[in-house]
């Protein structure tokens, strides 16, 4: 497994591979790898000759300095989890200065308002930071395919939009959410939960499943109330938002229309840890 810490040498190496018609898959990550990330790596390794995994905690997508500071980092463990993929893998671990040569700023993007819904409302500048770093990484790696998990469904739709707007050739592959045994969506942030919080966090997916079961028989207002009620008994949890939204536009829905695909989205604070999840309602 090759590891690169500088984009210049990685670009030279990939150029050689591309000249030999080698197909490149790309899995962008911020490290603290778990089985969700490994499922993306597995898919990419199966689909492509070589997979590049980037490990880079991107400062520009954090609106909260303490969240950035507390974001789990364990490069040694990450590398050991990737080692079994061996010769099929290249790991890219750039420094902040190598990625942001002209200063730590994001570009400003417009994605037909996808960026202003849900996470965009609650995390100022988040998607500008994500789009900035992902476009830098796409420029460096120039992959044939890039793999994104559905846990960050809004991010996935925004990356699709970005690629379409820029006429980029990379195909975006979405991969299903991987869950812990109790249903909690796998996330690097789960590491910051206590054992009790991790158990209690099962209520998030239980509630989403209940919404899915009742989606055809109940109206959206009733479902919104139901979700608020489900979190009331938990003094240590704050429901930041719950929305049923059109999967394409991500606009919150108050009523159901035929021929539209809906998805339920949720963000919850447990202790100081912010968790998100979503479920398709079809
Ligand atoms: O989903 C993530 O981990 C990050 O947002 C990404 C895509 C690696 C960009 O920093």
């Amino acid at each position: 497994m090759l590891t690169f810490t500088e984009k210049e040498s990685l670009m030279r190496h990939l150029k050689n591979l591309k000249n030999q018609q080698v197909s490149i898959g790309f899995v962008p990550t911020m490290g603290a790898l778990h089985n969700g990330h490994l499922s993306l790596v597995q898919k990419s390794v199966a689909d492509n000759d070589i997979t590049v995994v980037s490990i880079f905690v991107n400062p520009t997508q954090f609106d909260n300095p303490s969240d950035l500071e507390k974001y789990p980092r364990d490069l040694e463990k990450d590398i050991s989890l990737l080692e079994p993929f061996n010769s099929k893998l290249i790991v890219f671990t750039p420094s902040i200065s190598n990625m942001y040569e002209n200063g730590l700023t994001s570009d400003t993007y417009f994605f037909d308002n996808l960026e202003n819904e849900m996470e965009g409302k609650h995390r100022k500048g988040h998607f500008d930071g994500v789009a900035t770093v992902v476009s830098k990484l796409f420029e460096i790696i120039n992959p044939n395919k890039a793999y994104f998990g559905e846990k960050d469904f809004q991010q996935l739709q925004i990356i699709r939009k970005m690629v379409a707007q820029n006429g980029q050739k990379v195909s975006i592959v979405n991969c299903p959410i991987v869950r812990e045994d109790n249903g909690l969506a796998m996330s690097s942030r789960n590491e910051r939960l206590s054992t009790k919080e991790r158990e209690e966090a099962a209520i998030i997916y239980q509630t989403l499943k209940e919404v899915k079961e009742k989606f055809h028989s109940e109206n959206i207002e009733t479902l919104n109330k139901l979700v608020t009620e489900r979190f009331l008994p938990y003094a240590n949890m704050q429901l930041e938002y719950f929305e049923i939204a059109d999967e394409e536009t991500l606009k919150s829905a108050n009523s159901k229309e035929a021929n539209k695909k809906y998805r339920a989205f949720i963000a919850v604070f447990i202790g100081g840890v912010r968790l998100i999840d979503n479920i398709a309602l079809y």
Side-chain angles (χ1 to χ4, degrees):
M1 192 169 77
L2 287 175
T3 301
F4 289 85
T5 55
E6 284 187 353
K7 62 181 176 193
E8 294 77 10
S9 41
L10 175 63
M11 283 165 93
R12 273 195 302 276
H13 183 75
L14 292 175
K15 200 169 170 212
N16 276 337
L17 292 180
K18 289 226 156 211
N19 286 341
Q20 298 162 46
Q21 314 301 323
V22 167
S23 64
I24 312 278
F26 174 43
V27 180
T29 83
M30 297 206 296
L33 301 182
H34 50 68
N35 284 342
H37 296 113
L38 296 182
S39 74
L40 307 184
V41 176
Q42 247 151 16
K43 175 109 184 78
S44 176
V45 166
D47 290 352
N48 302 280
D49 298 321
I50 286 289
T51 291
V52 180
V53 177
S54 63
I55 299 178
F56 179 68
V57 181
N58 174 37
T60 63
Q61 70 188 73
F62 288 81
D63 62 334
N64 175 345
S66 117
D67 192 25
L68 170 61
E69 193 195 315
K70 289 186 186 145
Y71 200 83
R73 293 162 172 90
D74 191 344
L75 188 57
E76 228 174 275
K77 184 170 166 216
D78 290 344
I79 299 282
S80 72
L81 289 170
L82 294 174
E83 233 134 47
F85 298 98
N86 203 351
S87 60
K88 293 281 223 165
L89 223 64
I90 290 174
V91 183
F92 180 43
T93 60
S95 63
I96 292 177
S97 58
N98 191 237
M99 285 299 287
Y100 287 93
E101 280 172 333
N102 300 320
L104 205 49
T105 54
S106 313
D107 298 328
T108 303
Y109 291 86
F110 300 96
F111 296 117
D112 294 344
N113 275 323
L114 291 179
E115 75 282 13
N116 295 325
E117 306 296 337
M118 299 178 290
E119 292 299 288
K121 269 186 216 147
H122 292 275
R123 302 181 71 190
K124 259 203 135 325
H126 172 65
F127 288 117
D128 280 340
V130 170
T132 300
V133 79
V134 173
S135 39
K136 281 175 189 288
L137 289 163
F138 280 180
E139 250 172 63
I140 297 165
I141 294 155
N142 187 18
N144 300 88
K145 293 183 179 176
Y147 296 77
F148 290 85
E150 287 181 353
K151 185 176 79 66
D152 297 295
F153 193 84
Q154 187 172 7
Q155 166 173 283
L156 170 69
Q157 296 295 61
I158 282 176
I159 300 297
R160 282 192 194 289
K161 179 71 75 182
M162 182 182 88
V163 165
Q165 283 177 351
N166 298 343
Q168 282 162 323
K169 288 215 176 67
V170 50
S171 17
I172 303 302
V173 182
N174 50 307
C175 300
I177 299 174
V178 179
R179 298 184 178 281
E180 299 192 1
D181 288 345
N182 68 359
L184 176 64
M186 288 207 177
S187 162
S188 306
R189 289 191 162 85
N190 295 355
E191 282 185 25
R192 291 174 51 202
L193 300 172
S194 68
T195 311
K196 183 165 174 271
E197 288 168 339
R198 213 159 167 145
E199 276 163 21
E200 285 185 343
I203 186 68
I204 299 173
Y205 184 52
Q206 278 162 17
T207 305
L208 289 180
K209 280 197 301 185
E210 187 179 355
V211 168
K212 186 177 173 107
E213 272 159 34
K214 297 189 171 154
F215 184 63
H216 293 289
S217 56
E218 303 290 349
N219 65 37
I220 291 183
E221 198 187 335
T222 308
L223 293 171
N224 288 342
K225 275 196 197 130
L226 176 150
V227 172
T228 308
E229 279 163 18
R230 290 295 173 269
F231 285 88
L232 287 180
Y234 297 92
N236 59 338
M237 290 193 208
Q238 292 87 44
L239 177 64
E240 188 178 42
Y241 67 77
F242 169 78
E243 290 190 17
I244 292 179
D246 177 320
E247 195 176 270
E248 287 305 310
T249 63
L250 302 180
K251 286 226 168 316
S252 190
N254 297 319
S255 59
K256 302 172 213 168
E257 284 176 46
N259 304 324
K260 281 198 171 169
K261 283 182 165 175
Y262 293 100
R263 201 169 262 267
F265 296 86
I266 195 165
V268 178
F269 276 99
I270 304 190
V273 184
R274 186 173 184 277
L275 301 176
I276 60 170
D277 201 350
N278 68 82
I279 196 167
L281 300 174
Y282 50 87

